[in-house]
Amino acid sequence: MSSHEIIPLDRGHLNEILDIEVLSFGSPWTEVAFLGEFVQPHSFTYGVVSLTDHKVMAYIVFWLLEDEVHILNLAVHPAFRREGLANSLLTYLVDVSQKAMCRLVFLEVRPSNLAALRLYESFGFVKVGIRPNYYTDTSEDAHLYTLFLEDSHDY
């Protein structure tokens, strides 16, 4: 039996999300950024929460636009890393994407984020491009990764 579940997150979870965000990124999203995502009809935030205390352990923010999904943010609280939570969120996202008849899932990732690169590549994401100087805090390029969901349609 699992000790956690994946649920939609909202403003009520914001403080927990922000705590994870600050612990996870050198240039974390702001409260305003998350609040903006909560009100967009194409934006979704899901989290892994503990069944015992209902605390947010990890989250993912993504856009569902037409037949594409864009992952904007994915983070796991440092205390819960290496427990498969990011894997669970990505599995959930791929399932949602296929049910929505999406063609692809894409994201930008720092080339220095080796753990994220390994995770995405293990799901079948492939590098399809580079966005030069994408990250304003370091001028680091972003690698554009795409997961093609050919199996989700009957062509």
Side-chain angles (χ1 to χ4, degrees):
M1 181 173 162
S2 179
S3 61
H4 57 270
E5 65 179 338
I6 296 175
I7 65 166
L9 300 180
D10 57 29
R11 296 177 68 107
H13 302 100
L14 186 57
N15 288 336
E16 292 175 88
I17 293 169
L18 289 170
D19 288 344
I20 296 169
E21 182 75 7
V22 167
L23 292 169
S24 299
F25 301 110
S27 294
W29 280 20
T30 64
E31 178 177 347
V32 170
F34 281 103
L35 290 171
E37 293 303 321
F38 289 141
V39 298
Q40 295 299 323
H42 59 268
S43 184
F44 300 89
T45 303
Y46 281 84
V48 178
V49 298
S50 166
L51 289 177
T52 55
D53 60 10
H54 305 290
K55 295 288 185 189
V56 177
M57 304 161 71
Y59 61 87
I60 189 168
V61 181
F62 63 93
W63 289 354
L64 178 56
L65 296 164
E66 300 290 328
D67 61 351
E68 297 180 356
V69 172
H70 183 182
I71 298 173
L72 303 172
N73 198 335
L74 171 64
V76 178
H77 191 286
F80 303 108
R81 291 189 183 149
R82 299 243 179 258
E83 294 184 17
L85 301 182
N87 194 338
S88 294
L89 283 170
L90 278 177
T91 299
Y92 183 84
L93 175 76
V94 169
D95 185 53
V96 166
S97 301
Q98 289 175 323
K99 287 178 179 172
M101 302 297 289
C102 292
R103 294 182 299 114
L104 57 88
V105 179
F106 70 95
L107 58 92
E108 295 85 10
V109 62
R110 292 176 190 261
S112 61
N113 191 343
L114 299 179
L117 292 171
R118 281 192 298 272
L119 174 68
Y120 297 132
E121 289 172 359
S122 76
F123 268 78
F125 281 82
V126 294
K127 182 178 164 189
V128 296
I130 294 176
R131 298 193 196 280
N133 304 312
Y134 184 80
Y135 295 100
T136 57
D137 60 332
T138 62
S139 296
E140 189 173 7
D141 295 343
H143 287 193
L144 180 60
Y145 271 73
T146 301
L147 175 65
F148 296 95
L149 300 171
E150 293 89 6
D151 295 339
S152 65
H153 296 298
D154 293 323
Y155 289 108

